[in-house]
Amino acid sequence: MKYYLSVLAGAMSYGILSTIVVLAYGQGYQLGEVVGTQLITGFILSWMLALYTRFRAGRRSKRGVQHNGKTASASASTVFARLTWKQRLLLMAAGTPTVITGLVYYQSLRYIPASLAIILLFQFTWISVLIQAISKRQRPDKVTFLTLLILFGGTLLAAGFLEQGLGEFSGLGIALGLMAAVSYSLFVLFSGKAVPSAHPAFRSAWMVTGGLILLCILFPPTFLFNGLIWSQLLVFGLLLGFFGAFIPPVLFAIGVPHIGGDMAGILGAVELPVAVLLSSIVLHEHVSGLQWIGVIIVLIGVALPELYKMRMRRSQSQSRPLYS
């Protein structure tokens, strides 16, 4: 049960971010300052975790050597094998889409409500399917098509397009929200393939490092030198870094290996209702009953393919003979 709660809490952490960003904008802070403080916080926390993980494994291996010879030491050195610079650069490159996602997603919050921005970001579910279909030159199956139809209908309701019409929303804000979904889709596709043998703590640390370097190029961190970092910006940066760049990767690394990627994908969808709920309560954005129905439909669309896979696996396992 604790592994399910771990993944659930990680996804809920992501849902908090949009509300914090809107509050930071309300205090007059700019995009580069908000994202910069978030990544710096995430960078520090991620490397602290990575170094602590290595230190803890080193102590365990020493105890193992004292009792069991060289076996424990060998296993520890295998897990924490030194990454080559090629692998480090690959991980840093894989982390750059998260920066692009954060920049365009947070910028969209200047033009459209947070409840709409998170719904647009969630379009990464069908965008990922489309990218994979094009890259593999395979036509999606019937379940995928049904899922896409459900997601499309749920999005129209959840975004309020049917009630208010597209003309009531900023075209630039909608475009930025969809760009964030595309960027996040690329991150999901690339991150899983980048040095999967590396320890999760070090994978996360190097990916955050790559993102921070890119951000410093795009938005030089002048707030570190003009004293702005010691204002309320530091509070927003700590919150965003803690809930966005640190807590979710740690909790997912704990829970996902035990519950599987399918169930993690279903539980991860809790980010959507959390973000919409907070935008309604904290930011006082109007979310109608029809929009909440749309949110539920989107959640069903996200969970449908994973539930179908789980059902097919169960039916296959039950159809296997007991003796062969």
Side-chain angles (χ1 to χ4, degrees), residues 1-8 251-268 310 313:
M1 185 63 181
K2 64 179 180 180
Y3 299 115
Y4 288 90
L5 293 177
S6 177
V7 174
L8 199 65
L251 293 180
F252 287 160
I254 294 173
V256 173
H258 294 275
I259 68 174
D262 294 345
M263 183 56 67
I266 296 173
L267 295 177
M310 293 170 63
R313 289 171 184 168

Side-chain angles (χ1 to χ4, degrees), residues 52-209:
Y52 171 74
T53 304
R54 181 184 287 275
F55 171 75
R56 188 177 180 183
R59 291 188 63 182
R60 286 183 175 178
S61 65
K62 289 180 180 179
R63 294 173 183 172
V65 168
Q66 294 175 357
H67 293 86
N68 303 317
K70 297 181 180 180
T71 304
S73 179
S75 62
S77 61
T78 301
V79 173
F80 291 101
R82 183 175 293 276
L83 296 174
T84 65
W85 271 109
K86 182 179 179 180
Q87 292 174 318
R88 294 170 185 173
L89 291 173
L90 185 61
L91 286 171
M92 286 192 284
T96 55
T98 58
V99 176
I100 304 300
T101 302
L103 289 174
V104 292
Y105 175 57
Y106 289 172
Q107 185 67 4
S108 71
L109 294 171
R110 287 190 175 277
Y111 303 98
I112 55 177
S115 55
L116 173 58
I118 185 64
I119 291 167
L120 293 176
L121 178 63
F122 249 72
Q123 303 312 300
F124 80 88
T125 51
W126 65 265
I127 293 175
S128 298
V129 172
L130 181 62
I131 292 175
Q132 287 183 331
I134 294 174
S135 62
K136 295 181 180 180
R137 297 181 180 179
Q138 293 180 351
R139 187 177 180 179
D141 55 26
K142 294 180 180 179
V143 176
T144 303
F145 273 119
L146 177 60
T147 300
L148 296 180
L149 289 175
I150 294 174
L151 287 171
F152 181 74
T155 299
L156 290 178
L157 289 174
F161 292 149
L162 296 182
E163 293 178 288
Q164 305 177 43
L166 281 172
E168 296 295 323
F169 300 98
S170 167
L172 178 59
I174 293 175
L176 289 170
L178 291 175
M179 286 175 60
V182 173
S183 178
Y184 189 70
S185 300
L186 295 175
F187 168 71
V188 171
L189 293 175
F190 293 153
S191 62
K193 299 178 181 179
V195 198
S197 59
H199 191 278
F202 283 87
R203 289 185 79 250
S204 177
W206 280 111
M207 289 171 71
V208 172
T209 300

Side-chain angles (χ1 to χ4, degrees), residues 182-252:
V182 173
S183 178
Y184 189 70
S185 300
L186 295 175
F187 168 71
V188 171
L189 293 175
F190 293 153
S191 62
K193 299 178 181 179
V195 198
S197 59
H199 191 278
F202 283 87
R203 289 185 79 250
S204 177
W206 280 111
M207 289 171 71
V208 172
T209 300
L212 181 60
I213 292 173
L214 175 61
L215 183 68
C216 289
I217 295 173
L218 298 175
F219 294 92
T222 56
F223 58 87
L224 291 176
F225 311 104
N226 60 14
L228 192 60
I229 185 64
W230 304 115
S231 64
Q232 198 173 1
L233 176 64
L234 180 61
V235 178
F236 290 120
L238 289 173
L239 291 173
L240 289 171
F242 186 73
F243 288 110
F246 179 68
I247 285 294
V250 171
L251 293 180
F252 287 160

